[in-house]
Amino acid sequence: MAGLDPSPERPAEREAGARGRLAEGQARVVAALVARGEVPAGFDPARMAVQAASLVAKRRAVVARLRPDLREIAGAGYAREFAAYAAARTEPPTGYRADAEDFARWLRKRHPQSRWRRWIRRLSP
């Protein structure tokens, strides 16, 4: 029979392939949003940048609620400090509590001799 593929793909194999492609595409989108990865084809880079900034703002707000001492330490520079911290990471930690503790460690390393010294000594190891 002309035109038939001699090794037709079974429906389960097709589905597994489609799921794999979907997972790869989702991973590229997540990397673009949280790890400064390349914006996948078909996505508006400006909108992706807005969404990525929104996700950092959400993380920053949650960390401030979990660790108000960090917000107090940074004062008016809190948003700037958190943005620098987030930009220095290739991916956020798993969970907001881990994010808060990592931010505390990052602040201590970044400002070991700063005006925050008495506060920073009390932060997580």
Side-chain angles (χ1 to χ4, degrees):
M1 297 195 198
L4 291 179
D5 185 356
S7 59
E9 197 173 28
R10 295 187 188 128
E13 293 169 344
R14 258 193 319 272
E15 185 175 321
R19 285 183 186 192
R21 287 187 300 279
L22 177 61
E24 289 171 13
Q26 289 172 331
R28 284 192 298 273
V29 170
V30 169
L33 290 172
V34 300
R36 296 168 296 162
E38 185 177 325
V39 175
F43 287 85
D44 181 345
R47 287 184 180 192
M48 290 289 282
V50 168
Q51 185 61 41
S54 175
L55 291 172
V56 169
K58 179 181 179 184
R59 287 173 54 202
R60 181 180 67 233
V62 172
V63 166
R65 282 193 301 275
L66 291 172
R67 292 288 306 265
D69 59 320
L70 300 178
R71 184 172 177 93
E72 187 174 338
I73 289 168
Y78 178 70
R80 183 183 65 251
E81 288 290 340
F82 195 87
Y85 155 76
R89 300 184 61 94
T90 56
E91 63 183 62
T94 56
Y96 290 114
R97 291 195 189 285
D99 208 9
E101 296 308 312
D102 285 356
F103 181 51
R105 281 189 287 277
W106 184 86
L107 275 176
R108 193 178 63 218
K109 282 182 182 177
R110 183 169 162 105
H111 301 286
Q113 302 299 320
S114 77
R115 60 185 166 82
W116 304 339
R117 188 174 186 157
R118 71 180 176 88
W119 284 93
I120 291 173
R121 278 196 311 256
R122 296 182 345 185
L123 299 177
S124 302

